[in-house]
Amino acid sequence: MMIQPKTRGFICTTAHPEGCAKQVQRQVDYVKSQPAIEGPRNVLVIGASTGYGLASRIVASFAAGANTIGVYFDKAAEGARTASAGWYNSAAFEEAAKEAGRQSFSIVGDAFSDEIKAKTIDLIRTELGKIDLVIYSVASPRRTHPKTGETFSSVIKPIGENFTNKTVNFHSGEVTEVTIEPANEDEIRQTIAVMGGEDWQMWMDELEQAGVLAEGATTVAYSYIGPEITHAVYREGTIGYAKNDLEVTAKRLNKQLGTHGGRAFVSVNKALVTQSSSAIPVVPLYISALYKVMKEHGTHEGCIEQMYRLFSDRLYNGSGDTQVDDRGLIRVDDWEMKPEIQAEVAKLWSELTTDNVYDLSDLKGYRKEFFQLFGFETDGVDYEVDTNPEVLIPNLKS
Ligand code: NAD
């Protein structure tokens, strides 16, 4: 069938296998062009199929030469429906890893469940022995608690009072004001249950109890802080409360793993176009302005550049020390948060309207990257020819 993008708001319901494969290959090529990293041997990435998790897996495999297990929640093609982008990305990753002689395995299913944790542990035991790095990069709108069966939904809302700011419809370029009402206590609780640290802690407890963590094992989860413009809806909103919980979990895990010489970190990453960030009001317009400024300064990075810097410069820089801020956080958002970058973004922000959005921001770049997440708008792909949507993932274990 001919595969074209079909969008509903910030969701694209189709994905293109060849385009996704080319996007993965571009990331692999970038990593191969950089110096190799003396890093982990066996890596588990939870949330491994798109965005930061996929980039982490690519860096681990192609810069450090690690064997990897990727856990993710993606769907295969069925009838007239294409597979999800993460499915195609992972199929391409597995092929590339196999070609390069790395071991790599995929587990598709709900990372929040006991079943997937148990399957992953079995796989580690039979194939890799022990894991020395666990990346936790799950971003999800919902979580069913494995012990109580309660299903939680996360919301992106301010806390305490209404929040009003500019936002953009990145398809039409229309800049409008959006007002978001504050979350109630239960919405805050549920968002923390989905995006906070509880599941990360459960994973680490189970891996530790099963004896599949190597001496000195490291674990990292990802967070975002961002500028004043987005604070009410992000860092000081429901999702920020969940990230605070993640940071508390990192401190606890750091002590827990420390007894075997291990470490736990939260890495604060840059705002980037991913399936998750495009769902947050205000953020796509902020990212568009940020991209314009950072591209002009020559400091723009995508997921792969960010993750390469995280591994090479912070986690495995050869010194044995990982640079953190005064709250113990790794900051690879440092270039985004430079005062001169933020001052320019704030100036653009105050001037942005529908009439000037393509001049004052990189909305064009944002939109293109959004479609590229699903394998569209990718050079070298003919979107007018019939394409088989059914693609197998070579080392799929569930
Ligand atoms: P993403 O949507 O691109 O990736 C999410 C991943 O989670 C996918 O692989 C998906 O399959 C997986 N997933 C979702 N639900 C799952 C489930 N139930 N079981 C197994 N896997 C599941 O998201 P992203 O933007 O890369 O976000 C990853 C992390 O990085 C999040 O913690 C996010 O807050 C953080 N972060 C993102 C940004 C940004 O701007 N995108 C910036 C800083 C930090």
Side-chain angles (χ1 to χ4, degrees):
M1 64 195 218
M2 230 161 74
I3 304 174
Q4 301 284 350
K6 276 202 196 112
T7 56
R8 231 185 19 235
F10 52 79
I11 294 168
C12 183
T13 57
T14 53
H16 198 286
E18 257 181 65
C20 288
K22 281 213 171 353
Q23 293 298 335
V24 169
Q25 192 56 47
R26 182 186 56 77
Q27 297 197 42
V28 169
D29 291 344
Y30 170 78
V31 168
K32 282 184 171 167
S33 75
Q34 301 299 311
I37 297 168
E38 192 64 46
R41 306 312 318 147
N42 294 321
V43 178
L44 169 64
V45 183
I46 308 159
S49 62
T50 55
Y52 277 119
L54 173 66
S56 308
R57 194 177 186 199
I58 292 173
V59 172
S61 188
F62 291 92
N67 304 314
T68 63
I69 296 177
V71 178
Y72 47 90
F73 210 17
D74 278 277
K75 289 211 167 79
E78 206 186 314
R81 204 191 58 202
T82 70
S84 53
W87 180 277
Y88 294 139
N89 290 341
S90 302
F93 170 85
E94 294 276 0
E95 285 293 349
K98 196 167 73 183
E99 241 177 66
R102 315 270 187 272
Q103 279 186 285
S104 74
F105 306 92
S106 281
I107 294 208
V108 176
D110 181 7
F112 299 134
S113 68
D114 285 344
E115 182 204 346
I116 290 297
K117 291 183 177 78
K119 269 190 180 164
T120 307
I121 287 168
D122 280 350
L123 183 63
I124 297 170
R125 279 207 185 102
T126 51
E127 300 290 349
L128 300 181
K130 290 187 192 254
I131 291 289
D132 42 29
L133 173 65
V134 180
I135 297 284
Y136 189 85
S137 187
V138 174
S140 171
R142 261 174 305 283
R143 170 175 172 234
T144 297
H145 196 283
K147 312 293 176 207
T148 66
E150 184 179 357
T151 297
F152 310 102
S153 295
S154 71
V155 296
I156 294 159
K157 289 190 176 180
I159 288 173
E161 52 190 51
N162 279 0
F163 168 64
T164 301
N165 212 328
K166 291 177 189 180
T167 196
V168 70
N169 174 332
F170 57 84
H171 298 296
S172 67
E174 195 187 355
V175 177
T176 53
E177 269 205 343
V178 63
T179 296
I180 314 168
E181 294 196 346
N184 61 37
E185 285 301 320
D186 196 50
E187 288 173 321
I188 299 171
R189 178 185 73 90
Q190 294 203 33
T191 306
I192 294 172
V194 180
M195 290 297 287
E198 188 185 21
D199 185 58
W200 184 26
Q201 177 78 52
M202 284 179 166
W203 268 99
M204 297 312 297
D205 286 346
E206 295 199 19
L207 293 166
E208 194 180 22
Q209 279 155 23
V212 293
L213 286 181
E215 249 333 267
T218 297
T219 186
V220 186
Y222 298 140
S223 184
Y224 183 63
I225 294 180
E228 203 58 46
I229 301 164
T230 62
H231 273 182
V233 71
Y234 196 97
R235 194 62 217 196
E236 286 157 16
T238 46
I239 186 82
Y241 274 45
K243 293 300 185 189
N244 290 341
D245 185 64
L246 196 74
E247 288 164 20
V248 170
T249 307
K251 289 211 164 71
R252 197 169 48 238
L253 285 173
N254 196 43
K255 279 208 188 102
Q256 188 175 327
L257 299 184
T259 56
H260 317 283
R263 315 174 290 170
F265 295 104
V266 163
S267 171
V268 182
N269 302 341
K270 179 193 180 192
L272 281 176
V273 185
T274 66
Q275 293 183 33
S276 298
S277 66
S278 55
I280 308 176
V282 184
V283 167
L285 187 57
Y286 165 70
I287 292 179
S288 303
L290 179 73
Y291 273 28
K292 179 175 171 65
V293 174
M294 292 188 82
K295 282 179 183 176
E296 281 169 6
H297 281 255
T299 55
H300 174 68
E301 296 173 299
C303 286
I304 197 68
E305 291 86 357
Q306 277 269 293
M307 292 301 93
Y308 181 78
R309 198 151 66 86
L310 171 66
F311 275 61
S312 64
D313 203 51
R314 307 296 159 89
L315 293 174
Y316 301 101
N317 56 19
S319 76
D321 262 347
T322 292
Q323 183 196 335
V324 289
D325 70 5
D326 51 6
R327 288 160 60 199
L329 304 169
I330 297 177
R331 303 297 300 266
V332 285
D333 67 336
D334 48 351
W335 297 354
E336 168 183 358
M337 298 312 291
K338 280 199 164 141
E340 61 272 27
I341 298 288
Q342 286 301 323
E344 281 185 47
V345 173
K347 182 167 182 304
L348 292 178
W349 188 263
S350 66
E351 296 165 6
L352 273 166
T353 64
T354 305
D355 292 340
N356 61 25
V357 68
Y358 288 102
D359 296 326
L360 297 192
S361 84
D362 186 26
L363 186 60
K364 211 166 147 247
Y366 184 99
R367 211 179 155 278
K368 184 169 181 161
E369 272 195 30
F370 174 80
F371 282 107
Q372 287 180 338
L373 297 176
F374 303 91
F376 299 108
E377 302 210 12
T378 300
D379 290 344
V381 179
D382 184 350
Y383 294 101
E384 302 302 321
V385 299
D386 266 359
T387 304
N388 182 4
E390 281 174 26
V391 171
L392 292 177
I393 296 179
N395 272 329
L396 185 61
K397 292 291 178 190
S398 57

